[in-house]
Amino acid sequence: MSVIGCGYLGASHAVGMAQLGHDVIALDIDKDKIAALSACELPFFEPGLGELLRKSVESGRLRFTTSYDEIAGSDVHFVCVGTPQLAGSFNADLRWVESAFVELAQRVTEPAIIVGRSTVPVGTARRMADVVRGHGSRAEVAWNPEFLREGRAVEDTLQPARLVFGVESPQAEQLLRAVYRPIIEDGSPVVVADYATAELVKVSANAFLATKISFINAIAQICEATGADVLRIAEALGYDNRIGRDFLGPGLGFGGGCLPKDIRALYACAADLRLADVATFIRQIDVINASRRDRALSLGRELLGGSYAEKRVCVLGAAFKPNTDDVRDSPALAVAVAAHQEGARVVVHDPVATESARGVHPEIEYADRIVMAARDADLIMLLTDWTDFADIDPVQLSGVVRCRNMLDGRNVLTPERWRSAGWTYRA
Ligand code: UGA
């Protein structure tokens, strides 16, 4: 089989398929990425994946290429390219999906199946099937959305919560069942549907997760105004298994390469369909999320006595969430940059993401260790919930900073511990 696109999704999928025993050739148009992967080096941080990459390559079941001609003879092609937000629009940019399908359609002459895994707006699979047919290819198109989380890519690839097959024929379903047989035998449920349903399952899953986060953040605002405790509320809600505790973590909100752009693409879809109420509802999830960044910034300003100008701010966290070096639409980095723009001298520490952060924001400073970032700080802002940060000792840090101000943007610290060590703690 072939896998087209070697980003988080494609690289994880290619390795996962090789682990299942398939003979896999993975393609990317980025030569540097392919050179790194061929040398068993992951171009991004992902726990556990590097080891499996090496095993797969060494076993001879996984190799990499930049040439579509080399993959043309595969029986199954998985399209795993990115669909970022289109500049200046809420829509997804489908140019890579389209070009992958065209490249394949031009070359795949024997019966084969082209399986889209990228997250796409509803209607894309149908369009791609037309593209394939239009080129006279005998390949069939299926849509099999991915649900992997960064930081847990291996687990989500090999033990997915569910598999969704958007297919137009029983043969396509059987082929996908054969591809995933070990996973299905292990208990992952399969949902078989048409193209549009399969596409919308993925978008709805991310929209629902985003809704949960913005919901608890809306409640957090009511709590701030009334003195109630949002963490106790989340705990109590979580005991109700109709609600569940996951994704009810109040704080700085969601970021990354998926939730924000997917919620916007869904908004654009609802607006195009002239479903005004639905569009308003979905738009508000993003608006509430963005407001959390402003709120963190204003709490920080308050702690500094009204202004960031000339102040030293230590920011803990640059990644959009723990266990990744991904800084795409990172709430932590957005707040750090805003504080810098308001005149603060900002020093950021992140266990793995400082290099990727420096690549996009070289104007702020980075430190390898927490104490270095915190030296002489007037304010510490904890903005990504890395587990290491929860263990920071407030007494030890007291001797390093200039002012004991802590803004806990992820609600991970124990307030009493910090307050009893003389810190002004806000969350
Ligand atoms: C998300 C989905 O969880 C995956 O199922 C999906 O496959 C993936 O997008 C995708 O579309 O490819 P990911 O972007 O890796 O995965 O991140 P999440 O773990 O969903 O976290 C998203 C954001 O929500 C992070 O910024 C995180 O800090 C934030 N979050 C999460 C909260 O603010 N509160 C919570 O309670 C949970």
Side-chain angles (χ1 to χ4, degrees), residues 259-306:
L259 262 50
K261 63 118 175 145
D262 289 350
I263 198 87
R264 288 168 203 154
L266 188 61
Y267 161 75
C269 168
D272 282 350
L273 294 168
R274 301 195 189 291
L275 300 171
D277 292 345
V278 181
T280 306
F281 168 63
I282 293 166
R283 181 83 197 100
Q284 222 43 39
I285 296 160
D286 197 17
V287 168
I288 288 179
N289 192 54
S291 78
R292 299 300 74 208
R293 301 178 188 193
D294 295 339
R295 179 67 183 134
L297 204 62
S298 70
L299 271 175
R301 205 181 293 112
E302 259 174 51
L303 284 167
L304 290 171

Side-chain angles (χ1 to χ4, degrees), residues 49-348:
L49 191 62
E51 204 182 307
L52 291 187
L53 167 68
R54 178 166 297 282
K55 276 193 194 160
S56 307
V57 171
E58 285 173 356
S59 71
R61 282 200 297 268
L62 175 59
R63 63 205 169 88
F64 295 93
T65 183
T66 52
S67 156
Y68 272 94
D69 290 336
E70 260 193 75
I71 66 168
S74 299
D75 306 306
V76 184
H77 301 272
F78 282 105
V79 176
C80 299
V81 296
T83 53
Q85 189 177 340
L86 195 62
S89 152
F90 286 112
N91 287 294
D93 186 347
L94 294 177
R95 82 178 86 164
W96 289 285
V97 170
E98 284 158 3
S99 88
F101 273 86
V102 169
E103 297 281 359
L104 288 170
Q106 286 169 344
R107 290 174 176 81
V108 179
T109 46
E110 297 303 311
I113 179 164
I114 306 179
V115 189
R117 275 181 75 64
S118 309
T119 303
V120 291
V122 57
T124 308
R126 164 78 42 233
R127 256 189 336 106
M128 293 305 109
D130 292 343
V131 165
V132 170
R133 244 194 314 274
H135 279 80
S137 169
R138 289 154 73 200
E140 180 167 352
V141 169
W143 220 267
N144 165 222
E146 59 81 23
F147 299 94
L148 69 84
R149 289 161 290 182
E150 286 177 25
R152 295 170 85 160
V154 172
E155 177 189 337
D156 286 347
T157 303
L158 294 174
Q159 292 135 26
R162 76 301 221 179
L163 290 161
V164 176
F165 300 160
V167 287
E168 290 221 302
S169 75
Q171 291 82 348
E173 178 190 337
Q174 287 318 317
L175 191 61
L176 285 171
R177 283 187 184 275
V179 164
Y180 289 110
R181 198 179 58 233
I183 290 177
I184 297 170
E185 283 173 359
D186 255 10
S188 290
V190 177
V191 179
V192 181
D194 53 34
Y195 289 162
T197 308
E199 292 166 321
L200 268 177
V201 169
K202 168 58 194 276
V203 182
S204 320
N206 275 2
F208 187 73
L209 294 172
T211 306
K212 279 191 92 173
I213 299 168
S214 280
F215 174 81
I216 200 66
N217 278 332
I219 299 299
Q221 292 181 57
I222 298 178
C223 289
E224 273 194 68
T226 56
D229 181 347
V230 70
L231 292 177
R232 290 285 90 73
I233 293 179
E235 179 191 349
L237 292 180
Y239 289 126
D240 185 332
N241 59 18
R242 292 171 305 172
I243 300 174
R245 178 66 180 80
D246 286 351
F247 279 71
L248 284 186
L252 199 50
F254 59 82
C258 304
L259 262 50
K261 63 118 175 145
D262 289 350
I263 198 87
R264 288 168 203 154
L266 188 61
Y267 161 75
C269 168
D272 282 350
L273 294 168
R274 301 195 189 291
L275 300 171
D277 292 345
V278 181
T280 306
F281 168 63
I282 293 166
R283 181 83 197 100
Q284 222 43 39
I285 296 160
D286 197 17
V287 168
I288 288 179
N289 192 54
S291 78
R292 299 300 74 208
R293 301 178 188 193
D294 295 339
R295 179 67 183 134
L297 204 62
S298 70
L299 271 175
R301 205 181 293 112
E302 259 174 51
L303 284 167
L304 290 171
S307 166
Y308 282 96
E310 314 287 319
K311 294 288 169 41
R312 282 185 76 119
V313 176
C314 160
V315 169
L316 299 179
F320 82 95
K321 67 171 189 178
N323 298 316
T324 179
D325 62 353
D326 194 344
V327 297
R328 283 177 295 172
D329 205 340
S330 164
L333 206 49
V335 171
V337 169
H340 167 81
Q341 285 166 349
E342 289 195 25
R345 178 167 170 203
V346 177
V347 188
V348 176

